[in-house]
Amino acid sequence: MFDPLRAKATVFLYMTVAFLFGVGLASGMGWTDDSHAMPVVSEAPQVSEEAVRPARDLSEAFVNIAEAVTPAVVRIEVRKPRFASRQVPEAFRRFFNLPDEEDQQSIPQVSGGSGFLVSDDGYVLTNDHVVTDATEITVWLEDGRRFDATLVGSDPTTDVAVVKIEGSSFPTLSFGDSDRVRVGEWVLAVGNPGFGGAASQLDYTVTAGIISAKSRGLQLIQNELLRDPDFDDFTSGFAIEDFIQTDAVINPGNSGGPMVDIQGRVVGINSAIASQTGFYQGYGFAIPVNLARRVMEDLIEYGVVRRPWLGVQITNITPEAAEYLGLPDVSGVLVQSVTEDSPAEAAGIEREDVIVSIDGVSVSRSGQLQQLVARKRPGDPVRVELFRNGEPREIRGQLDEAPINRGPEPRREERVARAEEKLGIEVADLTPELAEAFNYPEPGGAVITDVQLDGPASRQGVPAQAKILEVNGERIGDADDVKDALDRVRPGQVVSLLLADNTGTTQVRYIRVPPS
């Protein structure tokens, strides 16, 4: 009778004898001589602890900042309308049982970015360009929680927006003072540098750098407004371009995330990159948080920004202009024109005046003047110091409200999409023609004819041309069964799909139905 214990003991004995024989052979050949022993690597540090203590302290500070800040950073996913303009040949349409051109509906575009919580009851600060035109907004927290969000308000002239999620006791970030940050200071940028709005392996990335410059005017916002048919040249003139520049890595998807100082306080909102490719090339830009905070307060209180207005067209002073106008130095902003019936005209500001300060705060660039005015409220008094004909003057006036407000626009009524459309799939009966086209051995059942790019099904790896065998455990006989089963699924619920390919290999995919 076979004894497994005895067999194992015999094998162990043979292995022991073989090992001892090998050691003896190696010794005889000199392989175990000390001269051939593995070298001992010293574990003594190359540099003293005292010498690296400042760097170690900085490294520890970065770790602490990341741990404190990241829980309050969110990933924002938005769905926007995008008209399906595909021109499908009629023969192909009949073959795949596709709807007529007039029956095709808009295909939603999925995109997104980052944001951060500023209150424990769910207010999130982000960029206007992240959420503009969104029909659905979803917010994801670092701990995996998912929330449907509503747009509180947005301001395209500053690229600032606020969205709201329902709940309480959320982690939050505190505000710093962007006026007091200095060139050369360390900052960290946090966000989700993925693409589209779907989750990626790069979510909640922390990068470090320094403040490279302040008051950068790039005309990024103004150019976007000029391309938007909803805005005219007058409105685009209210764009505020006063960015903080950093060399911290900022890539697509980082937009709306926080830039924080060495104490973890927000000093800017990551907003744009200067790049020929759309990827990071060493220059990142953020909206100063003092401006963003002021815009946020209006959006939460009124739903729109009540932009104060002085009413001057301005440019930066050049060395030639400073010489001609008799200025003491090359600083300030030149008034090119004064708007009729504006606060500036009422106060007595004239063309070719050079504004050098607002309420005692020095002004050196156009964007700086715009930001200082925008941080006030309509009706606030203002003290303007300027040079006229080479002589200093002080003018007092009162700001008015700019006629540019645009709050969240009411959305047109949308057709209620079928459940399979919300999943981002098109389903048809597996006809003999489709079975031949998709290499199935025989017809019958329901097959996925198309999977929408960046849709919920696509992000869960659902393949086109797969048969649907079950929906939530319910057997499927044809395309109508799929529609009926999915119509019983509520918005936000997770759906289980049992799929099979043309070889009979099965797989299960779990997909969340987006909110209605």
Side-chain angles (χ1 to χ4, degrees):
M1 180 180 293
F2 176 71
D3 186 348
L5 182 60
R6 176 175 297 178
K8 290 179 181 179
T10 302
V11 171
F12 178 76
L13 178 61
Y14 286 159
M15 291 177 62
T16 303
V17 171
F19 173 75
L20 293 175
F21 175 77
V23 170
L25 181 62
S27 298
M29 299 181 68
W31 290 354
T32 60
D33 188 87
D34 288 345
S35 62
H36 299 282
M38 181 67 69
V40 177
V41 179
S42 173
E43 296 183 358
Q46 300 296 312
V47 183
S48 68
E49 178 67 26
E50 186 67 26
V52 300
R53 181 169 293 133
R56 188 180 297 278
D57 290 343
L58 179 62
S59 177
E60 188 64 26
F62 286 166
V63 171
N64 293 335
I65 295 169
E67 291 177 349
V69 169
T70 303
V73 178
V74 304
R75 175 168 59 85
I76 298 176
E77 178 180 305
V78 303
R79 301 175 73 83
K80 304 179 181 182
R82 179 179 59 191
F83 181 72
S85 59
R86 294 175 296 176
Q87 300 297 319
V88 182
E90 183 61 28
F92 188 85
R93 185 189 318 285
R94 290 197 304 269
F95 184 81
F96 287 103
N97 195 28
L98 297 177
D100 294 335
E101 289 287 346
E102 58 268 20
D103 294 332
Q104 292 191 44
Q105 304 296 324
S106 62
I107 298 176
Q109 175 186 4
V110 180
S111 62
S114 307
F116 55 96
L117 285 151
V118 295
S119 68
D120 60 6
D121 60 345
Y123 283 100
V124 175
L125 195 55
T126 184
N127 285 142
D128 168 78
H129 74 260
V130 171
V131 297
T132 187
D133 296 326
T135 56
E136 296 176 10
I137 304 174
T138 304
V139 169
W140 302 79
L141 270 60
E142 185 206 21
D143 59 15
R145 286 183 290 170
R146 170 191 178 278
F147 297 88
D148 299 329
T150 56
L151 177 63
V152 175
S154 63
D155 176 32
T157 63
T158 56
D159 197 24
V160 174
V162 177
V163 301
K164 178 74 164 59
I165 59 177
E166 296 303 319
S168 60
S169 302
F170 292 114
T172 63
L173 297 185
S174 59
F175 292 110
D177 186 347
S178 54
D179 288 344
R180 300 184 64 179
V181 299
R182 297 176 298 170
V183 174
E185 283 191 27
W186 280 104
V187 289
L188 272 67
V190 189
N192 306 285
F195 301 91
S200 79
Q201 295 178 335
L202 302 179
D203 280 350
Y204 308 104
T205 295
V206 180
T207 58
I210 62 169
I211 299 290
S212 303
K214 297 174 64 176
S215 297
R216 290 299 199 200
L218 308 173
Q219 295 187 316
L220 296 173
I221 298 176
Q222 185 177 36
N223 290 338
E224 286 298 318
L225 294 179
L226 288 173
R227 284 193 289 265
D228 192 329
D230 291 336
F231 298 98
D232 52 24
D233 292 346
F234 175 78
T235 303
S236 67
F238 285 90
I240 298 180
E241 309 273 353
D242 196 41
F243 292 103
I244 298 173
Q245 180 182 331
T246 179
D247 63 353
V249 177
I250 297 176
N251 274 315
N254 277 108
S255 290
M259 173 190 289
V260 300
D261 64 15
I262 201 70
Q263 292 182 273
R265 300 170 301 192
V266 181
V267 295
I269 302 178
N270 305 328
S271 183
I273 56 173
S275 167
Q276 298 295 323
T277 64
F279 299 93
Y280 175 75
Q281 290 185 333
Y283 308 98
F285 298 92
I287 301 166
V289 77
N290 288 6
L291 172 63
R293 185 176 185 178
R294 172 67 189 83
V295 172
M296 177 194 73
E297 291 169 352
D298 267 5
L299 294 178
I300 293 175
E301 186 173 356
Y302 305 111
V304 295
V305 174
R306 298 186 59 200
R307 173 66 63 78
W309 183 37
L310 185 58
V312 291
Q313 300 295 318
I314 53 178
T315 58
N316 292 332
I317 284 291
T318 63
E320 294 79 7
E323 179 181 343
Y324 182 83
L325 296 171
L327 302 180
D329 51 39
V330 185
S331 184
V333 294
L334 175 64
V335 176
Q336 294 283 4
S337 64
V338 178
T339 305
E340 186 178 356
D341 297 327
S342 67
E345 183 184 62
I349 297 176
E350 300 177 359
R351 182 171 60 87
E352 292 192 318
D353 283 348
V354 179
I355 299 175
V356 294
S357 79
I358 295 289
D359 289 334
V361 179
S362 297
V363 172
S364 58
R365 298 179 182 87
S366 299
Q368 187 180 14
L369 173 61
Q370 290 177 305
Q371 184 189 167
L372 289 172
V373 172
R375 280 157 48 179
K376 297 182 179 295
R377 293 182 180 273
D380 282 353
V382 63
R383 177 168 53 89
V384 180
E385 295 181 5
L386 54 82
F387 277 86
R388 179 180 297 168
N389 299 323
E391 298 294 329
R393 292 197 179 192
E394 180 178 290
I395 292 179
R396 295 179 180 269
Q398 187 177 38
L399 299 175
D400 200 355
E401 183 172 352
I404 62 167
N405 287 333
R406 185 187 76 164
E409 298 177 355
R411 304 293 178 188
R412 64 182 184 275
E413 289 296 323
E414 300 285 348
R415 180 183 67 89
V416 177
R418 298 193 304 269
E420 68 271 19
E421 292 176 325
K422 292 184 177 181
L423 294 183
I425 59 176
E426 294 181 7
V427 181
D429 291 333
L430 185 59
T431 62
E433 294 81 9
L434 287 180
E436 181 180 358
F438 296 159
N439 295 318
Y440 279 93
E442 59 184 16
V447 66
I448 298 173
T449 58
D450 188 31
V451 178
Q452 176 194 318
L453 181 66
D454 286 334
S458 173
R459 294 199 297 272
Q460 297 302 324
V462 173
Q465 302 183 11
K467 288 182 65 175
I468 301 180
L469 304 181
E470 296 181 3
V471 175
N472 288 340
E474 180 180 337
R475 296 294 299 179
I476 297 300
D478 55 24
D480 288 337
D481 288 347
V482 176
K483 296 176 174 61
D484 292 341
L486 291 178
D487 282 342
R488 293 191 290 271
V489 177
R490 298 186 304 276
Q493 185 176 342
V494 175
V495 176
S496 168
L497 298 183
L498 177 61
L499 309 173
D501 62 18
N502 52 21
T503 68
T505 303
T506 60
Q507 55 181 303
V508 181
R509 290 291 183 267
Y510 304 97
I511 314 163
R512 187 181 300 278
V513 178
S516 297

